[in-house]
Amino acid sequence: MSSSGGWLGTFPVGNSPEGIAIDADGNILVANFDGTISKLSSLGVPLDTFNIGGQPWGIAVNMDGTIWITDRSGSNTVSKLSSLGASLGTFTVGDTPWGIAVDADGNVWVTNYFNNSVSKLNSSGNSFGPYPVGRHPSGIAVDKEGNIWVANNGYSSGNSTVSKLSSLGAWLGTFPVGNSPQGIAVDAENNVWVANSGSNTVSKLSSLGNPLNTISVGNRPTSFGDFTGFALQYFVLGRR
């Protein structure tokens, strides 16, 4: 879709696409639950398919084009690929890695859904943490100050919150949002947007976690990618 909401096209990828990311050249990378990664041009032209196995879920890309993918198959790992799809390693994280984000320093942040935690990997795959967050963390995003924001799904527990961590993993706050938040992103003004799949709403928070707005949207909104483009502009293209 265009920035004004106009329809531009529909493009085939693998079976059950889950996560999506954009690299510095504008190429689109899609994590397909069938064990593949689809790479498309900015016009939607298929460029390649990478067979990585497992059950890819979340996907992120850093400034040099390195691709990071969470695996939902039970391996509790994150895969690292070159921009051409070559395997650069597999790294162990917590139980059922879900969302993934890359910060400005190339560190990778992963939500561990059943550990109620977040893992941090440096660009070499060395692990730090895990850092505790809320119940069943799903989406994850990084703001331009390097803070980490996590959507805690709650899984019908009523604990539907967003956690904020420092770049070192220190707890900075927990903030209520709508029911069953899954997707989360940060915009250019450092506001935080949360897709609440259980209440069909999107919550907008300030950088301090103060509620700014709640918007009614369609049925079960969710995203495990960066749905505002902030990560592309600030962490991939380096426009900070």
Side-chain angles (χ1 to χ4, degrees):
M1 300 184 74
S2 70
S3 58
S4 60
W7 182 84
L8 297 178
T10 302
F11 310 100
V13 291
N15 187 39
S16 297
E18 300 292 348
I20 189 167
I22 303 173
D23 69 17
D25 296 321
N27 299 311
I28 299 142
L29 296 149
V30 182
N32 306 305
F33 205 57
D34 63 4
T36 65
I37 304 298
S38 298
K39 184 175 183 179
L40 311 176
S41 75
S42 59
L43 298 176
V45 177
L47 298 176
D48 212 337
T49 300
F50 310 135
N51 292 290
I52 66 170
Q55 296 174 336
W57 193 259
I59 187 168
V61 61
N62 65 14
M63 284 192 290
D64 66 5
T66 302
I67 305 161
W68 295 84
I69 306 110
T70 57
D71 180 10
R72 286 280 311 281
S73 70
S75 68
N76 298 332
T77 59
V78 170
S79 296
K80 179 182 180 182
L81 305 179
S82 75
S83 60
L84 299 177
S87 176
L88 300 177
T90 302
F91 308 97
T92 300
V93 289
D95 189 356
T96 313
W98 200 283
I100 190 166
V102 180
D103 68 22
D105 296 319
N107 298 307
V108 179
W109 295 83
V110 180
T111 56
N112 304 307
Y113 190 78
F114 286 116
N115 281 150
N116 302 330
S117 68
V118 170
S119 295
K120 177 183 180 181
L121 305 175
N122 66 16
S123 58
S124 299
N126 298 314
S127 180
F128 302 87
Y131 308 105
V133 290
R135 182 175 173 83
H136 295 308
S138 300
I140 188 167
V142 185
D143 69 23
K144 61 185 177 183
E145 296 172 353
N147 299 311
I148 313 305
W149 293 83
V150 181
N152 303 306
N153 181 264
Y155 196 58
S156 301
S157 68
N159 298 317
S160 297
T161 61
V162 167
S163 296
K164 181 182 180 181
L165 306 178
S166 75
S167 60
L168 298 177
W171 179 84
L172 298 178
T174 301
F175 311 100
V177 289
N179 188 35
S180 296
Q182 292 200 34
I184 190 166
V186 182
D187 67 22
E189 284 75 45
N190 234 23
N191 298 308
V192 181
W193 295 80
V194 184
N196 306 305
S197 65
S199 55
N200 301 331
T201 60
V202 171
S203 299
K204 181 181 180 181
L205 307 178
S206 74
S207 59
L208 299 177
N210 298 318
L212 298 177
N213 201 358
T214 301
I215 304 164
S216 295
V217 292
N219 188 42
R220 297 187 64 81
T222 183
S223 172
F224 303 108
D226 174 48
F227 55 80
T228 65
F230 175 83
L232 170 67
Q233 294 296 317
Y234 281 77
F235 301 147
V236 177
L237 300 180
R239 295 173 182 169
R240 292 180 283 131

